[in-house]
Each structure stands twice: as C-alpha cells, then as structure tokens.
Amino acid sequence: MGDERATATTRSRPGAFARAWAKAVSGTSYLPMTQAQLEALLQRLTERLALALRADPFDLRIGQQVGAELVQSHIASAEGLGRTIEVIQLRLVRDLDLVVDDVEDRMARLLATVATGYARALRDRTLDEQEAIRRAAMMARAQAERALRDSEARFRHQATHDPLTGLPNRTLFTERLTAAITAPGRGADRIGVCFLDLDRFKVVNDSLGHQVGDSLLVSVARRLRRVLGEHLVARLGGDEFVILVERAGCTEDVVKVAEAALAAVSEPALVDGHELTVSASIGIVERQVADTSPMELMRAADSTLHWAKAAGGARWSLFDADRNRRELARYALSAAIPAALDRGEFYLDYQPLTGLRDGRVVGMEALVRWRHPELGVLRPDSFIPLAEETGLIVRLGSWVLAEACREATTWADGPAGAPFVSVNLAVRQLHRPELVQEVQGVLRRTGLPAERLQLEITESTMMSTVAEPVRALRVLADLGVRVAIDDFGTGYCNLAYLRDLPVSELKVAGEFVAGLRAPADDPGSRTDERILASLVSLAHALGLTVTAEGVETADQADRLRAIGCDAGQGWHFGRPGPAAPHLDRCSPALTDTAS
Amino acid sequence: MQRPDWAPETIDIERPSVARMYDYYLGGSHNFAADRAAARAMVEAVPEAPLMAQANRAFLRRAVQFLADSGIRQFLDIGSGIPTVGNVHEIAQRIDPESRVVYVDVDPVAVAHSQEILAGNDRAAVVQEDLRRPEAILRHPDVLRLLDFSQPVAVMIVAVLHFIPDADRPEDCLRTLREALAPGSYLVMSQASDDGRAGTGERAEAERVYRRTDNQLFIRSRAELTALFAGFELVDPGVVWVPQWRPDAPEQAENAEQAVFMGGVGRLGG
C-alpha cells in the first residue's frame, strides 16, 4: 500500500490513482486551480476513500464528505460525478492495492455515499447560486429604480428651482402657495406674501456687468435664506424674490419678516471683489386664507411692490384695499379709452385766453372731456395721467388735435381775426417722429391756418436732451404754429431751453397768480407779484407773450394788466365749456374786464 | 431646464445576458431560464462554447498569477461578468492581501451580484460602466479610491472585445486606458478568433445566437487582436490560442484552437 497509507494529517505526493482521477475530471467544469493543486486535492480525497473502504463499521459520512468536498472544490458537474464514480469503481482498489473483505459490497456502499454527498452539495450549491442571482437581480432592479427616482428627483429639483441661486422658483412657490391656501381646514389661518425687488439692480448689471449682477443675486439669495430660514424664499426671475409666510399670526408678523428681509438685503456685501450695498422694496399682502386665492394674492403683492417702488424704494408697503380699488378703477378706465374713442364718448370744452388790454378772446384752450356712459362726464385729470402711462395718450391726443382744429375752423372771424386754438401736447406725442406730418395733415385737412394753432408743452417735456422734439417744434414754428410753455415757473425752470426753442408764449402757472388774491400789501402777495413782473419782463425781452393762468377775480386781472401781462385765463374770463358762448364775447364791447 | 443626460436601464431577466451565459458555461447556476436557453442554443451552434469559457477563465487565472508574480498589486478587470469561481481578487489577494481590484461591468445584475460578493472587502469594488467609456471608468470615484495610477496597474479585458464592433473604435478606448497607465503596467486581452476556422459556418451561427442577447459578436483574427495591443510589448508567447498561453502542463495546450479564443499579455514599457 506504500505511501497511500499515510495518515490524513500528512501530505503525500499524488499517486497513480489521484493523477488518473484528476485527468478524468479535467474539463468537466471550470476548475480554479492548477493541475498540481487538483492532484494534491484528489490525493487527499483518495486517502479518505481508502479509509472509508476499510473502516469498520462502515462510516457513511466519509464518502458523503468526499462528495461534498469535490463540489466545494468546484469539481461540480454531472460529468464530474460520473467520471469520479467510474474511476473509483475501476481503479481505486487496484491502484491502491487495497485488501478489503466484502469489497464489492463496500465499494457499492462507498460509491453510493460519494454520489449522495456530491448530489446533495451540488443541489445546495445550485439553490444557493439561484438565490444569489435572484437577489442580485432584485438588488439591481431596486438600484435601477432608486436611480430612476433620484434622476426624477433631480429632474423635479431642476424644474422647481432656480439654477443660479438654488432657491425654489416660481413653479414651486406657486405650488406651495396654492397648497397653503387650498388645504382643507386652513380657511381660518392667515397667510402673508412679501414681493421683494432690488432697487436699481439694473445699474449694477449695466455698470459692473451681468456676472457681478448674478453674483449679487446669489449673495442676496443666501442672505434671505439665512434670515428667513423657516419661510419659503423663492426667486421669481430677474431681481424679483418672494417670501411666503404661512400661518401668519397677524399683519405685524409679516411686516417683521419684510423688515428682516430688507435688513438682510441692505447689509454691505463683497461681491466679486466689489463692495456693494443695495436696497430693496417689498410689497406685503397679509390676509385670511379664506378670503383669497393664489392668483389674487400674487397680483396684490405685485401691485403693492410697485407702491413701495413709487415711494422711492428701500421700504415696504402694505397692501391697501381702497388704494388698490382706486388703481384698478383707474386702470379699467384707461383700458376703456380706445373703445370710448370709437364710440365718440370724448368731446372738447374750451376756455378762453383773454387779452388783458382789450378783453378780446385771443385764443381758446381745448380741454378734453369724457362723457362716460356710467360715470358721467370725466375731467382729464381722471384719465389723462393713465393714458400717458399706457401710451394711449398718443391716440387720444391725435383725436383732440384733429377735433380742436376742425372746430376752430368754424369760429367766426372777428374784427381782429378769429382766436387761435391751444392744444396740449403730451411728452409721448412730442417724441413721435410722425408729429410734424400729423400736424401738417390736420391743418391741411381742416384748412385751419397754422397761425391759429398753438401747441402747449410743459417745461418737463423739454428736460429730455433728445434733439428730435426740438427739431420737430422748430419745423412747426417755421410753418407758423405757435408754441407755448404751459405751467411756466413750476417745473424744470432751466431757462436754457428758451434759447433753443421756437417758443412764442409763456403760460405762467396759476400758483403765482393765486398769490395776487391777497391784499396788495401782503408780503407773500408782493413776492408773487414781483416774480410775475420779472417773468413778464423776461418774456417780453425775449419777444414772447405771457398768459396768466388761474385768474379768478377782477382784482387779479387788474394787477396782471398793471404788470404788463398780455393775456389771462381762468374763471374770471370764462369757465371751460362749449366754444360758442366764449366766441360771443370776442367783441371787446361785451367784456366787463376791458378798461 | 435640462433633461438628465442619463436614464437608468430597466432590469429584464427575460433577456439573456452574456455575463450569465458565461456563468452557465462555467458550470454555475447564477443564471435564469432565458440565459440557459440562449447558452444551450449557442452550444448547439458551437459545441466548444463551455470549453471556450473554461479556457478563458483558466487563461485569466494564469494571467493574474503571472502578473502577481511579476509584482502587480493593482487590477482593473473590465467586463468582469458574474464573479463565480476563481475571481481576480481571490487569486490576487491570496498572493498579497494588499492587492487592489476594481471590477467593471455593464450588466447591472452582474454588478449587483459582485457587490454582494465583495461586501466587506475594502480592497475590491465593482463599478457599473462600459468599456466604451474609458474616461468614465478612469474618473469613477471607486476606481480613483482603490487604484493609484502612478503605480503599475493591470488592465484585464478578457472575453469582452468580441462584443465591441470596430465602429466603436476599441483602439481609441484602449489608447485612453493606456495613456492613464504608469510604465510597467500590463494589458491582458482575449477575444473570440477564427484563425484557422473561417468558413465552417460556426461563426455565422454563433453571431446569430448572440444577436438575441444584448450583445452581438465580432470575431477578430490574431493580427487584428495583436494590433489592439498597440503601445504594449507582448510578453511570451505573444497572442496565441488561450490554452497555449503559459499552460500549467504541456498537455493542456493540446487542441488549443478548439478554445476559439486568442489572448495575450502586453507590458507598457518606459
């Protein structure tokens, strides 16, 4: 039996049987070992088999262990088992030169135990591997789903956040606001919204560049988030931010939030190497959840922000329902102007400009009126400012110009000629390149001589340094159109423009004339009188005529005449109304102011 | 707003996976019915398929042993598949427990299985990536965490290249990898080859079977495979049928062409 007899604890060199066994199982499955390692392994198992064959009583476990160990060593295939049984049956006893009683019986039992141990181990291994691969598939699926969720979450984050500042964007803000307002059982809660906008942010962008502007926005976002941690801060776009104050206790709570936000924004900050101090304006709306909708709340906060801006910025404004109603009404009114023009709801009243020396009506100022179907007759101050803001003034102004010229042609010539018609020109009209063409067209169509048209512009109109309006006025003046400066003395008061402008008349603002109502020895009255006298002599020195506005009493008229003022306009001479009655007074004989 | 540039793939075990088919050839049970059906069809077309898989696995084992004996302690195994028996980390870490191994595979199930096998082994990791995105592999945090590219690294691309068409420019992928390697690094590659077997019709049949998987088969000649080792010096015996590459015993190299795969090991000089 030689070295095959060695005990299990001693490693022995592979014998002929182990080598034959190794050869038999080679290639039956992948064996992660060298041929030498395989032979060494099988030599060890050979010794176990020899032991099992001889053991008395027969020990089932040895053969089973050998079978299991083959599988554990990856000699784990049907072919591996078949060849193993074959080689043991054929060669084990012979190669090892074993002498055993009942050898056939014991060999059969040994092969049975090896096959049993092998099959059992292979089955276990198969089940384990199947379980492992199924678990891996499940894990992979879970990972894929998690990755999908993460990518969805990332996508959702991108969709609901501002990439520059990382703040929630309008979408998320609207979602949160809507949820806060529409959540059941929240009707009694109060909710606040602060619309925040940086003051003069454009200046930063224009002077330091968009990159610095962007960095400033990031810095402002960070500061707002720091001080308003519990409240949702979102960036709506540009330099507009919004803060949601859910479950506000009262208005004062939201005002405190706004004040904290203003303080945070106004901290000086180093932005891209620039020490920048900016301010912000905030519009605050705070009300009971039940009384509002997200849209309405956003709109109200936006308008309120504009109030804060209009008041000079660096402050908060609180929403005021009355003010909002008035503004909405004004807005509705301005929106109705085009349709009202189409329906012919506008008409003109006239107020005479009366010569102070002879009481003759020298001109008449056209004043637009709106016969509103529901509100009655509206005076210009209720709709002209808005028409100017919205640009509708251009269409309305064109209508006024055309209508005034048309009516003026019907005014009968007096002995000294018919009075001119004076039409107010808004800034926007003056800046239109088509102005000259339009005036020329109206004069041509109506047949009104250019000398009988006076255009009134305000001093502030001339603040613009743009040359175009000046050129247009010069062309018109060359045609013979009169140009008057309205409200002279109250506005810009830079006399330089008188050098460039083809002005023919100054209309002195009613404020100075009002002073003349006081007794002549009143110091204030005397001052106004001196100012008026100076203006008159200045105008006359420049070859301009002077009309005093707001003349209400005969005494005022007398004093103006004494100063040398050329004409007067005001209730004393005639209230605004249809042209005809004023025209009747064109004759000096009919005026009681003539001296 | 931007769509994510990457969408996770779904896991479909009804579709055969080459990684699990390979496991089946090796006698493993880490496979599903669809994998076994495709693998059996492959064996119909190419009876040597299991032998091919075993021969490749044995080539991988001998190559890792050779590299470890040559002092390599860092391994990047791209296309590692289902880690069954005789994995790179088992061989390498048996020789030196400090050896570091990163496995890379595109198959999410193979990756999940590898994660389980490698749990607790802080010197080995698995990364889900594609050989065709070498930059992504090289900058993957786990790759950077475990492998020091200032030291030699062995890149293993065993039984993978035949899934990469020439149109995907494998030479570019290999150049990118090579450029990341320190002198003294190694490249181990094997792939299905038809030198001496052209015209048997088996190639077409094998390609047809693989078309049913996610992967198609692209067979290359010895010359084509040798060309892919550009920049590396082939160690003896060069690109050969895989059983002929440094066999444990001379008889194992007999009938080597039946293994269908050719392979070799290249060393980056300098």
Side-chain angles (χ1 to χ4, degrees):
Chain A
M1 277 174 269
D3 55 10
E4 306 285 354
R5 292 253 186 171
T7 60
T9 52
T10 319
R11 288 286 156 89
S12 45
R13 294 216 343 270
F17 177 78
R19 288 198 305 276
W21 192 4
K23 200 164 183 208
V25 297
S26 282
T28 55
S29 62
Y30 170 67
L31 303 178
M33 59 192 102
T34 63
Q35 196 67 16
Q37 286 166 333
L38 174 64
E39 287 175 2
L41 165 75
L42 295 180
Q43 175 61 31
R44 193 163 52 77
L45 296 182
T46 299
E47 286 156 17
R48 304 276 297 152
L49 291 174
L51 181 68
L53 212 52
R54 289 193 308 263
D56 198 22
F58 186 81
D59 187 348
L60 292 171
R61 287 170 306 176
I62 300 173
Q64 288 178 1
Q65 280 160 3
V66 168
E69 208 166 318
L70 285 168
V71 171
Q72 278 146 22
S73 308
H74 307 292
I75 303 164
S77 66
E79 292 76 11
L81 175 60
R83 296 200 188 157
T84 293
I85 287 173
E86 187 181 6
V87 80
I88 294 172
Q89 166 84 45
L90 278 178
R91 300 189 59 160
L92 182 67
V93 173
R94 192 182 68 208
D95 284 1
L96 268 63
D97 201 14
L98 293 173
V99 180
V100 180
D101 295 336
D102 303 325
V103 69
E104 279 179 28
D105 182 56
R106 291 185 76 97
M107 176 57 78
R109 293 177 73 185
L110 176 64
L111 290 174
T113 54
V114 168
T116 302
Y118 191 99
R120 187 181 288 155
L122 188 57
R123 178 169 179 268
D124 285 351
R125 182 176 122 138
T126 302
L127 289 174
D128 287 350
E129 291 188 351
Q130 280 280 295
E131 191 181 325
I133 196 66
R134 273 173 209 290
R135 200 166 49 236
M138 258 158 40
M139 263 171 59
R141 188 168 291 152
Q143 281 167 357
E145 279 165 8
R146 190 162 57 239
L148 182 66
R149 271 198 307 279
D150 287 351
S151 89
E152 280 168 356
R154 233 187 354 257
F155 185 57
R156 156 113 186 117
H157 190 270
Q158 279 175 9
T160 55
H161 287 76
D162 164 38
L164 178 66
T165 61
L167 288 180
N169 65 9
R170 183 185 294 273
T171 306
L172 184 57
F173 179 81
T174 309
E175 270 179 27
R176 286 276 303 273
L177 178 62
T178 307
I181 289 179
T182 56
R186 303 275 302 261
D189 289 351
R190 299 190 69 84
I191 192 163
V193 167
C194 299
F195 256 47
L196 183 150
D197 189 293
L198 299 185
D199 298 330
R200 288 170 290 281
F201 175 65
K202 195 175 173 302
V203 177
V204 175
N205 260 348
D206 290 350
S207 56
L208 300 175
H210 285 271
Q211 209 172 341
V212 175
D214 282 356
S215 301
L216 174 62
L217 291 173
V218 171
S219 155
V220 166
R222 198 167 43 233
R223 283 179 263 163
L224 287 176
R225 191 146 46 183
R226 194 189 66 228
V227 297
L228 306 171
E230 59 184 306
H231 304 296
L232 179 71
V233 182
R235 179 175 173 227
L236 298 180
D239 58 328
E240 265 194 344
F241 297 85
V242 63
I243 304 154
L244 178 64
V245 183
E246 289 189 63
R247 300 173 197 276
C250 59
T251 305
E252 190 53 34
D253 288 353
V254 185
V255 169
K256 275 183 192 146
V257 170
E259 281 175 345
L262 286 179
V265 171
S266 63
E267 287 169 19
L270 199 63
V271 177
D272 287 358
H274 302 274
E275 171 95 21
L276 293 182
T277 307
V278 289
S279 63
S281 303
I282 293 182
I284 305 173
V285 182
E286 192 276 337
R287 58 177 66 153
Q288 205 172 35
V289 165
D291 300 337
T292 195
S293 74
M295 280 280 279
E296 195 197 333
L297 207 56
M298 297 281 270
R299 219 169 25 226
D302 195 19
S303 334
T304 314
L305 169 65
H306 286 109
W307 300 349
K309 285 260 172 219
R315 73 192 63 215
W316 51 265
S317 281
L318 187 60
F319 180 74
D320 170 347
D322 288 339
R323 178 173 174 180
N324 189 53
R325 248 192 307 281
R326 284 196 304 276
E327 294 200 347
L328 284 181
R330 253 160 47 89
Y331 177 77
L333 207 55
S334 87
I337 289 176
L341 273 169
D342 293 344
R343 284 195 297 265
E345 289 174 12
F346 291 95
Y347 67 94
L348 298 181
D349 269 346
Y350 294 91
Q351 189 170 32
L353 283 65
T354 306
L356 287 174
R357 267 168 299 158
D358 55 6
R360 197 174 60 81
V361 174
V362 292
M364 295 216 278
E365 181 178 353
L367 299 163
V368 64
R369 302 286 186 258
W370 183 355
R371 191 177 287 111
H372 193 281
E374 287 145 31
L375 303 172
V377 173
L378 300 176
R379 293 169 50 84
D381 53 0
S382 63
F383 58 89
I384 290 292
L386 257 174
E388 281 179 336
E389 268 175 46
T390 56
L392 288 167
I393 193 67
V394 172
R395 224 190 121 189
L396 184 60
S398 291
W399 179 84
V400 170
L401 176 69
E403 178 63 12
C405 289
R406 190 190 61 75
E407 280 197 59
T409 55
T410 67
W411 299 343
D413 275 1
F420 61 79
V421 64
S422 196
V423 177
N424 290 283
L425 210 56
V427 184
R428 281 190 195 243
Q429 286 177 285
L430 194 55
H431 281 79
R432 286 179 74 220
E434 306 89 337
L435 176 68
V436 171
Q437 229 178 332
E438 182 184 350
V439 173
Q440 279 178 312
V442 167
L443 292 176
R444 196 173 50 247
R445 274 198 304 282
T446 56
L448 186 74
E451 300 73 31
R452 287 192 54 209
L453 174 61
Q454 173 168 285
L455 297 174
E456 294 189 17
I457 57 175
T458 57
E459 276 184 308
S460 52
T461 310
M462 301 320 301
M463 276 184 71
S464 156
T465 54
V466 184
E468 201 53 44
V470 176
R471 202 171 305 132
L473 287 174
R474 202 166 284 140
V475 173
L476 291 170
D478 289 346
L479 291 174
V481 173
R482 299 166 59 86
V483 176
I485 303 294
D486 202 5
D487 284 332
F488 185 78
T490 56
Y492 182 37
C493 267
N494 181 340
L495 298 176
Y497 65 85
L498 290 176
R499 222 171 33 202
D500 303 327
L501 271 187
V503 178
S504 38
E505 171 159 308
L506 298 183
K507 292 184 80 177
V508 178
E511 279 95 323
F512 299 111
V513 180
L516 300 189
R517 290 187 69 169
D521 52 1
D522 176 279
S525 172
R526 289 245 296 281
T527 304
D528 279 343
E529 191 165 346
R530 280 182 197 134
I531 291 174
L532 280 166
S534 312
L535 288 180
V536 169
S537 67
L538 168 73
H540 286 171
L542 294 170
L544 312 178
T545 56
V546 179
T547 298
E549 295 177 310
V551 183
E552 295 182 354
T553 65
D555 186 44
Q556 283 174 315
D558 289 342
R559 289 170 72 177
L560 287 165
R561 191 180 305 113
I563 286 167
C565 193
D566 302 286
Q569 182 182 356
W571 289 8
H572 173 63
F573 298 108
R575 301 191 175 210
H582 299 314
L583 291 168
D584 290 345
R585 294 198 298 166
C586 274
S587 156
L590 294 175
T591 65
D592 56 359
T593 55
S595 52
Chain B
M1 207 181 316
Q2 265 185 319
R3 286 278 313 155
D5 61 352
W6 160 92
E9 56 197 295
T10 52
I11 310 302
D12 181 8
I13 61 168
E14 301 301 322
R15 231 177 128 69
S17 127
V18 291
R20 297 190 299 261
M21 285 166 69
Y22 193 78
D23 172 77
Y24 178 79
Y25 299 139
L26 292 177
S29 303
H30 300 98
N31 42 67
F32 298 112
D35 308 313
R36 293 189 285 276
R40 278 193 290 265
M42 180 72 181
V43 173
E44 286 275 307
V46 186
E48 301 91 336
L51 185 73
M52 285 154 48
Q54 289 173 31
N56 257 301
R57 201 72 180 158
F59 165 68
L60 173 77
R61 175 175 57 75
R62 295 196 306 277
V64 172
Q65 183 75 47
F66 164 80
L67 295 168
D69 290 345
S70 306
I72 294 291
R73 293 295 178 267
Q74 306 191 94
F75 298 84
L76 180 59
D77 184 358
I78 303 174
S80 48
I82 300 281
T84 46
V85 290
N87 295 300
V88 174
H89 76 278
E90 289 170 355
I91 304 166
Q93 291 179 347
R94 192 166 57 227
I95 293 165
D96 183 348
E98 291 296 318
S99 295
R100 286 154 192 276
V101 180
V102 178
Y103 295 103
V104 179
D105 207 282
V106 283
D107 185 331
V109 178
V111 170
H113 189 252
S114 307
Q115 282 168 345
E116 202 145 302
I117 299 259
L118 298 177
N121 189 332
D122 56 9
R123 293 189 185 88
V126 60
V127 162
Q128 190 178 338
E129 255 309 337
D130 192 323
L131 169 60
R132 284 163 292 200
R133 289 162 37 96
E135 296 90 352
I137 294 174
L138 291 170
R139 66 167 180 257
H140 193 285
D142 284 339
V143 172
L144 295 175
R145 177 171 60 86
L146 286 177
L147 303 183
D148 172 4
F149 283 90
S150 71
Q151 297 299 312
V153 173
V155 175
M156 327 277 303
I157 303 175
V158 174
V160 178
L161 277 174
H162 48 279
F163 298 124
I164 311 286
D166 288 343
D168 285 350
R169 305 197 60 83
E171 66 275 20
D172 289 351
C173 304
L174 289 165
R175 190 181 55 238
T176 303
L177 291 169
R178 187 183 73 225
E179 283 166 1
L181 297 177
S185 291
Y186 284 89
L187 174 65
V188 180
M189 291 198 293
S190 73
Q191 87 136 69
S193 177
D194 61 357
D195 272 20
R197 289 165 63 98
T200 61
E202 287 178 2
R203 175 175 175 168
E205 183 62 17
E207 286 179 353
R208 195 184 61 72
V209 170
Y210 267 97
R211 266 200 291 281
R212 286 172 24 211
T213 70
D214 287 327
N215 301 70
Q216 234 192 307
L217 209 56
F218 302 93
I219 285 163
R220 289 189 180 85
S221 68
R222 183 201 300 256
E224 287 170 322
L225 180 55
T226 304
L228 290 175
F229 277 99
F232 291 86
E233 297 155 21
L234 285 164
V235 303
D236 277 345
V239 173
V240 293
W241 296 112
V242 289
Q244 293 170 332
W245 198 90
R246 302 190 178 218
D248 292 330
E251 66 268 21
Q252 287 174 339
E254 288 164 16
N255 300 322
E257 71 282 0
Q258 283 179 12
V260 179
F261 277 70
M262 299 196 99
V265 176
R267 182 179 184 278
L268 193 62

